[in-house]
Amino acid sequence: MDYADFVPKKIAIADDSRAKVVLAAPAPHTVKNISEQFAKLYGIADEKMIVGRTLRAIFGPKTDIKKFHEGLQAAVLGKTQHISIWTSKPDMSQMLVYVSIFPVAEDAQITLLMLVFKGGLDVGCSTAGGRSKISAEMNGAKCGPVSSSTTRPPAPREEPEPEVREEEYEDPKDLTGEVDTPPEDPMPEVAPQPEDLEAGAAF
């Protein structure tokens, strides 16, 4: 056993700023003491609601009971455990917490377990119909019945695909307005005159 994991009893039962619970080490692990911060975290008006009973009072439909009890059993053997677990408030809102489970030593014996709760993320409120909604801490509204009507977002509009036009080849001359004409002869050919023919015959 690692004795660094042990917590003295006087520290375990002291009412400090932590949200903690002290359980009996032997099963069924009844609650011996709760801190003021734990009572505030779960909205417990009277500690008699939970002291002398088990922590099933804060279990809800999402609680992994097997995981919780495995953590307790490992702590009874002398090793500190750290688990995350879903719990439930009296108003049935579900709350995710991170729990550290410390063995408490008294006269070299593990007689108690100290559980420290952290987090407290409220994520939903269960209703009689078995449905859930975002809790007051998440959306600013109190938990209440869930309306059966739901609003669906409009279906996305299908935009027509743009028409792809094939580029036509254009002759660069067509763009300048020039006309393809044959080149002019710089010296046009002149037909011989009759007088030129007679003068040639005289020679």
Side-chain angles (χ1 to χ4, degrees):
M1 295 184 181
D2 187 355
Y3 287 93
D5 286 336
F6 286 87
V7 174
K9 181 180 179 180
K10 63 180 181 180
I11 294 179
I13 63 177
D15 192 2
D16 50 33
S17 60
R18 294 177 293 179
K20 64 183 183 180
V21 178
V22 177
L23 305 180
H29 311 293
T30 55
V31 177
K32 296 296 184 181
N33 184 43
I34 65 172
S35 69
E36 183 179 351
Q37 290 300 319
F38 177 84
K40 289 181 179 179
L41 179 63
Y42 283 93
I44 299 174
D46 188 352
E47 66 176 16
K48 293 180 180 179
M49 296 172 57
I50 191 169
V51 173
R53 308 172 67 179
T54 67
L55 280 181
R56 285 183 176 272
I58 63 169
F59 288 174
K62 299 177 69 174
T63 303
D64 189 341
I65 299 176
K66 180 181 178 182
K67 178 181 180 180
F68 179 74
H69 282 294
E70 286 177 350
L72 295 181
Q73 292 169 8
V76 169
L77 296 177
K79 190 66 177 177
T80 298
Q81 302 294 304
H82 304 282
I83 61 173
S84 58
I85 191 170
W86 287 98
T87 58
S88 179
K89 288 185 175 182
D91 64 359
M92 292 304 294
S93 59
Q94 305 303 300
M95 184 164 62
L96 180 64
V97 293
Y98 183 78
V99 186
S100 297
I101 308 173
F102 300 92
V104 179
E106 184 179 14
D107 298 330
Q109 298 291 327
I110 300 175
T111 58
L112 301 170
L113 300 174
M114 182 181 74
L115 282 65
V116 178
F117 291 72
K118 295 180 180 179
L121 175 62
D122 252 329
V123 295
C125 181
S126 298
T127 64
R131 298 173 182 169
S132 62
K133 62 181 287 188
I134 302 301
S135 67
E137 287 78 2
M138 298 295 285
N139 65 2
K142 295 183 178 180
C143 294
V146 179
S147 174
S148 59
S149 62
T150 57
T151 303
R152 297 183 179 179
R157 296 178 57 186
E158 295 184 0
E159 299 292 340
E161 296 184 359
E163 182 181 356
V164 179
R165 299 180 59 184
E166 297 183 359
E167 297 183 358
E168 298 180 356
Y169 173 76
E170 295 182 349
D171 193 328
K173 292 182 179 180
D174 296 338
L175 300 177
T176 60
E178 296 180 358
V179 179
D180 189 9
T181 57
E184 297 181 356
D185 189 350
M187 297 185 64
E189 183 179 353
V190 180
Q193 300 297 322
E195 56 270 18
D196 295 334
L197 296 177
E198 293 176 358
F203 289 103

